[in-house]
């Protein structure tokens, strides 16, 4: 199937009760920016974050669960994606973390899922079976602060481009932990750590496609920290930290998502409070950032956004105004423009798009 006749599908995760719809599937028309809902799935509690395996046509979601004493745990749930129908079919569900989760990641070799718990301060390594269904929990690492007032809040995990290392952003401890995976033992082995400024709150991370730089968005300080990346050791060393806000902004703000254009020329981050996406131009030699634009997300609390494959559009979800918004993206300037297209979704938290 060629790009011209592939179908662009959009997947949205949200805050939802188990009895309500929580995961949504849309078709996205790249000619006019229109979104058409094709499917909606109930039966998951707060499936706020998703991971899409385009090649194998699978989707993974988190879902809160509980044991008899009321302790909150997390399941990982797998679905088959049926592109022709635009439907999801659940294929497995299994316990995957010792607390409520806020992020799910998948290794590119489809051997593992990793889940992060903000409230528990933990990250789990979960087996993926050959058929893509969720296997057993292999390992859980809980982070602890060195002082009584230091409380771990693990927010996300990201694999290096070569998949040798897993980077875990701990918002509470202002640290990005580097792990390698011991495949024989099924363990997360601590490799090193990188600190950001105290109180900054690292949330999400993205690598530059050249493999030389990484960028972390700091939720609490409304900043982005640029790092030089040493791939042989999995080590991050700070280059600079820049604001995500205009110079005259004085409202309360917390950052959320960060991502990069496929060509590595532009970096994007979301502001919740200022309710904007900041656009930076990236210096390919130094990794430093220059602010290009702040654009309104046309809603409140932009929890997540993603660049549609091909780079012509950006999709943003605003949790507090219950909408999914479509922007066009200028590949030469990196700037975003609102299309006037927006659809209503209850408490959306993340959005992914790809061709099938």
């Amino acid at each position: 199937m060629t790009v011209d006749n592939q179908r662009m599908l959009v997947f949205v995760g949200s805050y939802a009760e188990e009895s309500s719809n929580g995961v949504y599937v849309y078709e996205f028309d790249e000619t006019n920016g229109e979104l058409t809902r094709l499917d909606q799935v109930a039966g998951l509690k707060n499936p706020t974050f998703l991971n899409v395996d385009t090649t194998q046509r699978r989707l993974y979601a988190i879902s809160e669960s509980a044991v008899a004493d009321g302790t909150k745990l997390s399941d990982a749930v797998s679905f088959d994606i049926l592109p022709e129908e635009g439907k999801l079919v659940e294929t497995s569900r299994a316990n995957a973390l010792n607390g409520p989760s806020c992020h799910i990641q998948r290794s590119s070799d489809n051997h593992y899922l990793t889940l992060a718990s903000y409230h528990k301060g933990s990250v789990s390594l979960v087996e993926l079976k050959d058929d893509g269904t969720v296997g057993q929990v292999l390992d859980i690492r809980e982070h602890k602060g060195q002082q009584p007032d230091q409380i771990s809040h693990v927010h996300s995990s990201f694999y290096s481009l070569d998949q040798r290392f897993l980077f875990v952003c701990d918002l509470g401890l202002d640290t990005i932990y580097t792990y390698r995976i011991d495949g024989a033992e099924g363990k997360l082995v601590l490799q090193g750590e990188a600190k950001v400024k105290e109180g900054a709150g690292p949330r999400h991370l993205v690598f530059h496609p050249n493999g030389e730089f990484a960028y972390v968005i700091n939720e609490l300080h409304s900043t982005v920290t640029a790092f030089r990346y040493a791939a042989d050791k999995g080590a991050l060393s700070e280059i600079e930290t820049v604001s995500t806000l205009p110079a005259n902004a004085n409202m309360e703000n917390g950052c959320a998502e960060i991502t990069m254009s496929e060509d590595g020329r532009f970096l994007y981050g979301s502001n919740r409070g200022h309710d904007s996406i900041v656009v930076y131009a990236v210096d390919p030699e130094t990794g430093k950032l220059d602010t290009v634009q702040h654009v309104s997300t046309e809603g409140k609390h932009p929890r997540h956004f993603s660049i549609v494959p091909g780079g012509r559009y950006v999709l943003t979800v605003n949790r507090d105004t219950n909408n999914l918004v479509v922007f066009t993206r200028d590949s030469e300037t990196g700037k975003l423009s609102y299309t006037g297209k927006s659809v209503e979704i209850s408490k959306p938290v993340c959005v992914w798009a790809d061709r099938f």
Side-chain angles (χ1 to χ4, degrees), residues 27 30 40 46 77 84 90 111 117 146 173 176 188 194 227 249 251 262 272 302 310 314 321 355:
E27 182 174 25
E30 296 179 80
Q40 49 197 14
N46 293 334
V77 186
E84 293 79 9
E90 184 175 331
H111 287 168
S117 176
Q146 295 181 348
L173 302 183
I176 301 101
L188 291 168
F227 292 94
M251 73 290 295
E262 292 176 358
R272 300 171 298 171
V314 169
T321 45
R355 296 189 180 97

Side-chain angles (χ1 to χ4, degrees), residues 12-18 20-23 41 43-50 61-64 349-350:
V12 180
S14 68
Y15 281 110
E17 294 300 320
E18 191 172 352
S20 303
N21 294 315
V23 179
V41 178
L44 293 82
K45 182 175 176 60
N46 293 334
T48 53
F49 219 85
L50 311 174
I62 56 176
S63 179
E64 286 183 20
V349 175
C350 80

Side-chain angles (χ1 to χ4, degrees), residues 269-322:
S270 66
N271 288 302
R272 300 171 298 171
H274 191 252
D275 296 326
S276 65
I277 292 177
V278 58
V279 184
Y280 304 100
V282 181
D283 187 312
E285 301 299 324
T286 66
K288 291 187 174 182
L289 304 173
D290 286 319
T291 304
V292 171
Q293 181 192 30
H294 291 88
V295 60
S296 168
T297 59
E298 303 296 330
K300 294 186 180 299
H301 201 93
R303 187 70 174 264
H304 192 260
F305 64 93
S306 62
I307 301 174
V308 173
R312 292 174 52 206
Y313 293 95
V314 169
L315 303 176
T316 302
V317 284
N318 295 300
R319 189 197 66 185
D320 290 356
T321 45
N322 304 308

